[in-house]
């Protein structure tokens, strides 16, 4: 682990300010979510990146798409399977 030499105190509400230089270097903007990990006596903050795991195939990829406000994540293959199942279930294209 690399030391930055920066020391910050925890305020009365348990908050710690992350210096602007670190936020800029790490690409952390206002309102960005951070994941909190604990490793023995260390607290690790990591910029949160939502899991892009397809809910149909289980494929993990940044190319997967988010639908319904991020509630549904699909790969291309998963989307095709879902379309086929919906088509069959609702008898779409039956004429």
């Amino acid at each position: 682990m690399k030391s930055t030499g920066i020391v910050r105190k925890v305020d009365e509400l348990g908050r710690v300010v992350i210096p602007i230089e670190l936020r800029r270097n790490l690409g952390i903007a206002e309102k960005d979510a951070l994941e909190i990990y604990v490793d023995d006596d260390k607290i690790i903050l990591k910029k949160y990146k939502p899991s892009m795991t397809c809910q149909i195939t289980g494929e993990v990829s940044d190319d997967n798409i988010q639908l319904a406000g991020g509630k549904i994540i699909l790969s291309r293959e998963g989307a095709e399977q879902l379309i086929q199942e919906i088509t069959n279930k609702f008898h779409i294209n039956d004429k």
Side-chain angles (χ1 to χ4, degrees), residues 23 26 35 55 59 62 68 80:
R23 288 184 276 140
L26 298 172
E35 275 188 281
Q55 293 168 307
E59 177 188 346
D62 287 337
E80 290 170 355

Side-chain angles (χ1 to χ4, degrees), residues 50-66:
S51 173
M52 293 298 286
T53 303
C54 175
Q55 293 168 307
I56 305 295
T57 65
E59 177 188 346
V60 178
S61 173
D62 287 337
D63 294 331
N64 291 349
I65 59 169
Q66 294 183 25

Side-chain angles (χ1 to χ4, degrees), residues 24-92:
R24 284 182 183 151
N25 288 341
L26 298 172
I28 299 171
E30 283 184 32
K31 309 285 184 188
D32 279 353
L34 298 176
E35 275 188 281
I36 303 170
Y37 298 89
V38 177
D39 182 14
D40 295 322
D41 63 342
K42 298 174 194 74
I43 298 171
I44 301 166
L45 300 176
K46 182 179 176 186
K47 187 172 178 181
Y48 176 70
K49 183 176 181 183
S51 173
M52 293 298 286
T53 303
C54 175
Q55 293 168 307
I56 305 295
T57 65
E59 177 188 346
V60 178
S61 173
D62 287 337
D63 294 331
N64 291 349
I65 59 169
Q66 294 183 25
L67 302 169
K71 295 177 185 171
I72 300 172
I73 300 184
L74 296 174
S75 64
R76 180 176 191 83
E77 295 79 18
E80 290 170 355
Q81 288 178 27
L82 186 59
I83 290 168
Q84 185 63 48
E85 189 170 328
I86 290 170
T87 300
N88 293 339
K89 180 75 172 175
F90 293 102
H91 307 292
I92 298 171

